[in-house]
Amino acid sequence: MSRSLCLALLLVACGDKDADDTGAGGVDGGDGTAENCGCVRGTEQPLALDEVAPNGIAAQELLDIALGSHGSTLVWSGGAGVTNLLVELSAPSNARFVPQSEGQCSNDIAYDCPDLVEVDVSARFVTSDNALNETATLTLTDAEWTFEARDPTRVSFTWPFDSISGSFDPADYVDVSGYDRVDVWAEVTIAGTDLSGAVAGGGESTSGSGDEGSVSYSALSFGTF
């Protein structure tokens, strides 16, 4: 499984769960109580952009890779054509160090919970066919660098499109008629002058109700770049 897909699946899993159901940072233990599973974020510590955090990384290292305008060619799925893509990151702010610890969970699953450096940036994601013309404030993190194959020459992030300003319609690229809800996000990797990733998403289908009901979620791909 690709690292970007892992991040996307984590995004979906977290996005559908209301934290108020079980308490902050917890998951339902099956008896209505919260379990402190997964990684627990500690108190954030503000950083100057060029300040080296306790984990040996400065936010500026991320920014040196990510800031600026990055172009690529986006190939839409379903034979919907090709378009130019521009991803632009600017105006960094709120750099911080986030210590993490492993929570306790009754299933005895072990979690890798490295400390993080995070920094917010203003972002644009624009296609020349005007299908997507999106802006947001995103958080860059060095989490990409904490895997076994540490590569400090690249920055990756997932951008959920909560609302879409362009003309993008999921049905133009994928058959979504069988889904009750469709989510769309961008998976972006910047490495030197290379911009790569995907416009991806997921479709949720619900059948039945109550104890007899079920929910399924399927991965979707709208285009790659």
Side-chain angles (χ1 to χ4, degrees):
M1 182 181 292
S2 71
R3 195 170 300 162
S4 58
L5 180 55
C6 286
L7 290 171
L9 292 176
L10 284 172
L11 173 70
V12 171
C14 295
D16 288 347
K17 184 64 176 176
D18 186 354
D20 291 338
D21 289 346
T22 60
V27 298
D28 196 331
D31 58 359
T33 61
E35 290 187 353
N36 197 19
C37 291
C39 297
V40 179
R41 291 168 65 94
T43 302
E44 296 181 0
Q45 303 171 25
L47 297 170
L49 293 181
D50 59 355
E51 181 179 356
V52 177
N55 64 351
I57 296 171
Q60 191 61 52
E61 295 180 62
L62 299 169
L63 300 173
D64 287 344
I65 300 168
L67 288 188
S69 298
H70 311 275
S72 187
T73 299
L74 194 159
V75 181
W76 291 116
S77 300
V82 176
T83 187
N84 293 324
L85 168 65
L86 174 69
V87 173
E88 187 175 66
L89 304 179
S90 62
S93 64
N94 192 28
R96 65 257 185 204
F97 172 68
V98 185
Q100 292 198 122
S101 60
E102 183 179 354
Q104 300 298 314
C105 189
S106 61
N107 58 19
D108 293 328
I109 294 177
Y111 294 89
D112 182 17
C113 300
D115 297 335
L116 303 174
V117 169
E118 298 179 341
V119 59
D120 298 334
V121 294
S122 297
R124 296 179 64 221
F125 191 103
V126 181
T127 59
S128 58
D129 60 3
N130 200 41
L132 293 167
N133 187 0
E134 315 310 310
T135 60
T137 298
L138 302 179
T139 297
L140 303 182
T141 177
D142 69 309
E144 170 78 9
W145 297 358
T146 62
F147 289 84
E148 182 177 350
R150 183 179 185 273
D151 185 357
T153 66
R154 54 187 275 168
V155 170
S156 295
F157 57 91
T158 299
W159 179 346
F161 295 142
D162 297 325
S163 61
I164 293 177
S165 300
S167 61
F168 179 88
D169 183 342
D172 291 339
Y173 313 98
V174 175
D175 181 6
V176 296
S177 58
Y179 301 114
D180 301 312
R181 192 189 85 232
V182 174
D183 301 317
V184 183
W185 59 77
E187 300 168 5
V188 180
T189 294
I190 300 171
T193 59
D194 295 330
L195 174 69
S196 60
V199 178
E204 181 181 277
S205 301
T206 304
S207 60
S209 60
D211 293 340
E212 303 299 322
S214 64
V215 177
S216 62
Y217 201 86
S218 302
L220 301 173
S221 176
F222 303 106
T224 57
F225 53 91

